[in-house]
Amino acid sequence: MSTIQISIVPLPVGAEVAGLSEGAESNPEVRAQLYQAWLKHGVLLFKNVGTTERHLALSRCFGDLEIHPFAPARSEEHPLLIEIGGKKRTPAYVYDGVDLRTNRIPWHRDTAYTPDVCKGAMLRMVEVPSSGGETMVADTAAAYDDLPTDIKVKVDGLEYKATLRLTPIHQTRPGAFWKTVRRATPQEDPEGGRETDLSIQARYPSVVHPAVLVHPESGRKCIFLSPTYVDHFLGISQGESDDLLKYLVDHMLSPRYVHLHRWSVNEAIVWDNRRVMHASPGNNPREPRRGLRTTLAGPVRTGRFFDKDPPAAVSMMAD
Ligand SMILES: O=C(O)CCC(=O)C(=O)O
Ligand SMILES: [Fe+2]
């Protein structure tokens, strides 16, 4: 029996870890408890993660860490961290005619535009805006369980083609929670002049993934979609595919599977990327928001390249 008592307090999706003193995560029994809680709940929330060292130590309770393949996102602070917002914030866009936002990101799983979807990620928030900038998570295992039988039969064994879409202008698939979007003018976003380097998209050739993943550890079936990147399901028409995608995304985003987390400074959440998808409504660019994120190495080699001979540029992905 461990002498360290921690409590796992369920949230609408995921759970909060309470009573974990600094350094307690080095205890093997505590690590095992945390890991089991993570598998059970899909997302864990930690408070008072005040340093990069602790962020890395907690992340390592859930697996080995990897350097994110997307070089421009990497943090100067540590090679195992990427920076979300802060100096690397995205240019601002205006959504639905009124909503000026940076860092808005539609529903996705991390690295799902590669054949090896990462196992998970831990995001720690170091600067929190006064409003907006939340992170949303959706439990796709619970969503799968509740699918009608005929839809389960339809999606089990189905595969889909997925392609990286980098900017809100390109993110038009279901799971993008806006109807219209345009780039903010320099008057609206004076600091956001940087153009997104779209050549990066060409370095990530399209991939194929299964629509349903049997979770390699829990054995639970998950709706394994990253809606933002889905082009179409294989073997059915584009129209049928679009209808099915919309149906599945609407289902996964029912309020009972979704939780919106309002951040406090130095909180961290770790999601199981095999089971959970996530999104952010973004924040007003006039207020800072900065997060740092680790990536848990897979490999969850669920995918393959769509073309048998992808361009040689693939080998440059980590540059
Ligand atoms: O900004 C957020 O809340 C989520 C960003 C994100 O998608 C990630 O950290 O992987
Ligand atoms: Fe993400």
Side-chain angles (χ1 to χ4, degrees):
M1 271 284 288
S2 169
T3 48
I4 302 173
Q5 295 294 319
I6 58 171
S7 14
I8 306 294
V9 185
L11 297 167
V13 172
E16 180 183 332
V17 178
L20 182 73
S21 53
E22 180 127 13
E25 63 276 5
S26 62
N27 177 315
E29 287 170 35
V30 171
R31 296 171 81 83
Q33 274 184 60
L34 291 174
Y35 198 81
Q36 287 314 313
W38 189 57
L39 286 183
K40 181 172 173 195
H41 295 281
V43 182
L44 291 183
L45 164 67
F46 296 88
K47 295 192 180 276
N48 306 318
V49 185
T51 61
T52 289
E53 202 184 5
R54 182 117 206 269
H55 185 180
L56 295 177
L58 285 172
S59 300
R60 287 193 170 104
C61 295
F62 305 97
D64 293 333
L65 305 185
E66 68 180 16
I67 294 182
H68 195 276
F70 192 19
R74 285 182 214 144
S75 165
E76 285 151 26
E77 212 160 296
H78 195 285
L80 288 169
L81 295 175
I82 57 168
E83 189 158 325
I84 311 284
K87 274 195 284 178
K88 294 190 191 277
R89 81 162 171 84
T90 59
Y93 288 80
V94 175
Y95 294 87
D96 296 330
V98 287
D99 206 3
L100 179 68
R101 296 268 160 164
T102 178
N103 302 326
R104 176 170 282 201
I105 180 156
W107 288 95
H108 68 286
R109 286 173 153 91
D110 294 326
T111 61
Y113 44 86
T114 72
D116 304 294
V117 177
C118 68
K119 180 183 182 186
M122 185 184 276
L123 175 61
R124 168 183 165 231
M125 208 48 69
V126 290
E127 279 184 272
V128 178
S130 63
S131 66
E134 300 91 346
T135 298
M136 301 183 284
V137 288
D139 180 358
T140 72
Y144 178 89
D145 289 346
D146 295 342
L147 282 176
T149 307
D150 61 322
I151 302 288
K152 284 184 177 164
V153 169
K154 196 168 186 171
V155 295
D156 280 344
L158 197 61
E159 293 182 313
Y160 63 94
K161 178 182 174 217
T163 307
L164 174 62
R165 291 180 175 83
L166 269 179
T167 76
I169 302 286
H170 297 91
Q171 294 164 340
T172 54
R173 305 300 281 156
F177 34 93
W178 55 83
K179 291 195 173 56
T180 65
V181 59
R182 66 166 172 82
R183 180 75 193 271
T185 61
Q187 289 71 31
E188 289 164 324
D189 184 21
E191 310 289 312
R194 184 171 47 85
E195 289 297 330
T196 306
D197 178 5
L198 288 178
S199 70
I200 289 166
Q201 280 181 168
R203 291 163 66 182
Y204 290 84
S206 300
V207 293
V208 173
H209 283 293
V212 176
L213 177 73
V214 179
H215 192 288
E217 294 180 90
S218 70
R220 289 185 73 184
K221 287 187 174 177
C222 306
I223 304 175
F224 194 59
L225 297 175
S226 261
T228 303
Y229 308 132
V230 176
D231 295 311
H232 57 78
F233 294 102
L234 305 190
I236 59 177
S237 71
Q238 186 70 50
E240 205 184 331
S241 177
D242 287 347
D243 290 348
L244 181 60
L245 181 63
K246 182 160 182 345
Y247 173 89
L248 291 168
V249 171
D250 284 350
H251 174 72
M252 288 189 284
L253 298 183
S254 310
R256 60 188 173 282
Y257 312 123
V258 175
H259 175 56
L260 178 143
H261 179 63
R262 290 184 199 285
W263 289 98
S264 297
V265 173
N266 286 337
E267 286 182 336
I269 61 174
V270 56
W271 54 79
D272 181 340
N273 201 42
R274 300 160 294 185
R275 171 172 168 187
V276 172
M277 52 175 201
H278 59 281
S280 175
N283 58 286
N284 189 306
R286 297 191 182 104
E287 284 199 64
R289 176 191 194 251
R290 191 164 89 94
L292 294 167
R293 212 205 74 191
T294 56
T295 306
L296 296 169
V300 194
R301 164 59 68 140
T302 65
R304 60 177 190 276
F305 289 109
F306 180 73
D307 289 323
K308 281 199 192 65
D309 300 307
V314 173
S315 62
M316 291 163 53
M317 284 196 305
D319 291 347

